Amino acid sequence: MRPWEIHPGLVHFPIAFLLAAVALDLYGLRRPKEILGRMAAGLYVAGVASGLLAGAAGVLAWFTAPHADAVHRLMYWHPALALASLVAFTVVAVKRWKGRAQPAGARLCMLSVVGAALLLVAGALGGHL
């Protein structure tokens, strides 16, 4: 396995964890239950932790992957959007972990939806790369 191939193998974990957490929080807005909040909080923490690992592998891929000049602009947008998403989800994860027995508020759900949108665009760009 080449060093730049590690990142694409790891990115599926944070994407799955974080999108599942967002879905649980949005569902919890309609049907608030303590178990949903606890599961979402755990998924946010797992998503941020695995996102940090995927990001570290992305830095390795940045410096080792062969690429043509045509992809340079995408190579800047992809990590910038992924980092913005990870920052948003880190804020959500910390707040959700502190209040994991409660359903998420509307503002926190909105931030998680913005983080999910950033994550999906970053993932699409990464898939294109």
Side-chain angles (χ1 to χ4, degrees), residues 80-99:
L81 291 170
L83 180 62
S85 173
L86 194 60
V87 168
F89 279 123
T90 300
V91 170
V92 173
V94 168
K95 290 185 181 285
R96 289 300 287 130
W97 187 256
K98 289 180 180 178

Side-chain angles (χ1 to χ4, degrees), residues 53-67:
L53 289 174
V59 170
L60 178 65
W62 176 279
F63 289 108
T64 60
H67 59 277

Side-chain angles (χ1 to χ4, degrees), residues 18-30:
L18 293 170
L19 294 181
V22 172
L24 281 174
D25 267 349
L26 291 175
Y27 182 74
L29 282 175
R30 300 279 291 167

Side-chain angles (χ1 to χ4, degrees), residues 102-129:
Q102 308 297 327
R107 287 184 185 175
L108 206 53
C109 281
M110 184 61 81
L111 181 59
S112 66
V113 168
V114 168
L118 290 168
L119 181 64
L120 289 172
V121 174
L125 288 176
H128 183 71
L129 287 172

